[in-house]
Each structure stands twice: as structure tokens, then as C-alpha cells.
Amino acid sequence: MLPAMVTDADRGVVARQLGREPRTLRRVAVRCPFGAPAVTEQSPYGADGEPFPTTYYLTCRHLVAAVSRLEADATGTDGGASLDYGIGGSRRGGSLKCLHAHVAFALARPGYELGERIVAEVEPLWPARCCSE
């Protein structure tokens, strides 16, 4: 099944959320309670053939900030290893990075237990009003 087309309005909201034009936007996978894009699905390759590393991308500013705080707390407890080895992973076994990707996947594909555990740490999951306006 082909994904739904992205509207110009959705593309505009996602561009505002990201602070740049989205490169590989395929569709809005999850909307916040206010109807704005919260998670997008990306094409695996950009128009230039460059691979895009993640299928689902967190765009809601509130969620991005909340997950960034969780990730910063985790980085603070790993002695800076994630900063030395890259946020995508570290040389230490047992560490978990790329929390944004895990949260985006869990919201887009319910049943992903690891992502859902991270989502459960986000308080509140949604803001009191839309953060994309």
C-alpha cells in the first residue's frame, strides 16, 4: 500500500518544527491531540540518493525537548562516553542512545516495548496546547 500524500500544510508545519525543509518526508505517521504532525515517516533515500538513517522521525517540539532531557540525563550518567563515541551509540555495553528514534517508532508502531518504556518516562506526553503553532 502506498503512503498517503503529504499536504503542503503538513510540509509547512514540519518545516517549522524542524527549522528547515524536510528532506525525505513520506507521510505524517502520528498526529498530536491538536492535529499537528508529531512523527513523520521518511523515505529510505533522499532525492539525491543519499540514505536516510531512520524510518520514523520525531517532529513535535514538545516531545523532542522532553526526550532530549531524558537523553541528556542518560548522557550525564555515562561519564560522557556518548559524547566521545557519538550520540548514536557508545563503546560501552548496556547503554541506550537515539531515544528520539525509539520514541518515534513506538508512537508510529504501537507494541514496540523498548520505545514504549521510554515514552512512559515523558511527562507529560503531550503539552496543554499545540507547540507547533
Side-chain angles (χ1 to χ4, degrees):
M1 185 166 121
L2 292 175
M5 297 299 294
V6 176
T7 66
D8 288 340
D10 282 341
R11 183 173 292 281
V13 171
V14 171
R16 281 194 312 278
Q17 290 171 324
L18 299 176
R20 62 171 172 76
E21 286 298 317
R23 295 189 322 249
T24 61
L25 178 60
R26 179 181 276 177
R27 72 180 181 94
V28 174
V30 177
R31 292 183 182 278
C32 73
F34 308 101
V39 176
T40 58
E41 182 179 317
Q42 309 309 123
S43 297
Y45 296 96
D48 60 359
E50 185 75 22
F52 195 82
T54 186
T55 302
Y56 299 106
Y57 202 83
L58 200 59
T59 62
C60 169
R61 289 176 180 166
H62 166 79
L63 290 177
V64 169
V67 174
S68 291
R69 284 189 296 275
L70 290 175
E71 198 161 75
D73 287 346
T75 301
T77 61
D78 73 2
S82 57
L83 297 175
D84 292 337
Y85 302 124
I87 208 69
S90 73
R91 292 184 185 174
R92 289 181 356 168
S95 72
L96 177 64
K97 301 298 173 204
C98 298
L99 300 187
H100 296 84
H102 290 286
V103 168
F105 195 93
L107 292 172
R109 306 277 303 268
Y112 174 49
E113 185 177 350
L114 176 59
E116 288 177 353
R117 287 182 180 198
I118 299 165
V119 168
E121 297 294 319
V122 176
E123 284 292 328
L125 181 58
W126 302 110
R129 61 185 180 106
C130 187
C131 60
S132 295
E133 296 176 350

